[in-house]
Amino acid sequence: MSRDDRGVSTTVGYVLTLAIGAVLLSGVVVGVGGVLDAQTERAVHGDLEVTGQSLAANLEAADRIARLAEAGRTDPDLDPGDGTAVAAVDVDLPTRVGGLPYSVEIVDGPAPDADSAVILRTTRPDASVRVPYRSNTTVEETTFRGGPVRITYVADPTDPSAGTLEVTER
């Protein structure tokens, strides 16, 4: 009986089968994990782009509304000292994109068509989107968390062309 090693081959075969299965399973998990990360990054980037486009469009709409509110103040038949021009636009931005929190930065360029942009960022994955916008009204530069915001026109009581747009969280 000392030469009988049939029991060893069953045990060794079982251990080898488990080891090969574990290696294959870990390879699949690692491979799928990379694909999942890439898909998540693409989804976050796409959501940031859509959200940025929405905010930029609403900034441009608030600019048009502000200019309409100021139009009457330049009429000589109206009181030019009346600083009551008011405009506000509520924008319901999502609080998360792709399941992640994000931040928004508003940058106002030196001229109406130069370098004005909405910049949206996430940290994990590290994604950033820059969406340009056009505004004849000065937009106050600010940074805030993603979520619902209010764009408010703040009139200058003495100069109808010197009002500003402010973006604040609500």
Side-chain angles (χ1 to χ4, degrees), residues 15-95:
V15 168
L16 285 175
T17 302
L18 285 178
I20 291 170
V23 168
L24 288 174
L25 185 60
S26 65
V28 168
V29 167
V30 168
V32 169
V35 170
L36 247 145
D37 288 344
Q39 290 290 13
T40 300
E41 190 168 331
R42 269 188 249 139
V44 166
H45 193 272
D47 286 353
L48 287 175
E49 184 75 32
V50 169
T51 303
Q53 291 288 345
S54 174
L55 183 55
N58 280 291
L59 276 170
E60 291 172 355
D63 173 53
R64 288 189 298 276
I65 292 169
R67 286 186 284 135
L68 285 172
E70 288 292 359
R73 291 184 55 203
T74 59
D75 187 340
D77 295 333
L78 298 174
D79 180 12
D82 181 18
T84 59
V86 176
V89 176
D90 288 341
V91 183
D92 291 324
L93 298 177
T95 55

Side-chain angles (χ1 to χ4, degrees), residues 8-21:
V8 172
S9 64
T10 303
T11 305
V12 169
Y14 182 72
V15 168
L16 285 175
T17 302
L18 285 178
I20 291 170

